Amino acid sequence: MTINTAPLTVTADNQTTTYGTVISTGTGKTSFTSSGLMNSQTIGSVTLATTQTTTTNAAAAGITITPSAATGGTFSASNYSITYATGTVTINAAPLTVTADNQTTTYGTVISTGTGKTSFTSSGLMNSQTIGSVTL
């Protein structure tokens, strides 16, 4: 009698994160689902990898999460023909607040407004980014 390996699919869970944050990857991760385990067996963890570990480019749609190296739990990898399926990372915009500085002027004088102004503060910029000017 020949006993063949059972098909098993391990799929990386899709992740959602905010621009400028680190994507959770590496060994020992539990952000995955599996299909095909027999006899109530479990997988303890997988290794997750991406081509980009920090969300430094919000326009980088669909960063791929690649699972591999299923281990632990109660299953024996040698009993399965394992297929790994990728997940994706969705990057949400980071909150950014730009606040015009308070100004003091004398009655009858013009308040400085328009484009190219630098009398403002900001909070929420990521990755050493700066704002050159705003329109007031």
Side-chain angles (χ1 to χ4, degrees), residues 10-116:
V10 176
T11 304
D13 291 346
N14 294 331
Q15 294 185 31
T16 300
T17 190
T18 302
Y19 170 74
T21 60
V22 175
I23 301 168
S24 180
T25 60
T27 58
K29 298 301 176 185
T30 56
S31 301
F32 67 92
T33 56
S34 62
S35 174
L37 286 169
M38 301 291 178
N39 304 315
S40 301
Q41 292 177 331
T42 61
I43 298 171
S45 66
V46 299
T47 298
L48 299 178
T50 62
T51 55
Q52 188 174 324
T53 57
T54 304
T55 56
T56 56
N57 183 355
I63 296 171
T64 301
I65 307 167
T66 304
S68 64
T71 188
T74 59
F75 91 116
S76 176
S78 62
N79 291 334
Y80 294 93
S81 174
I82 304 173
T83 301
Y84 292 98
T86 60
T88 59
V89 178
T90 300
I91 303 170
N92 293 325
L96 173 63
T97 302
V98 177
T99 305
D101 292 345
N102 293 331
Q103 293 185 23
T104 302
T105 189
T106 304
Y107 177 75
T109 61
V110 176
I111 298 173
S112 178
T113 62
T115 59

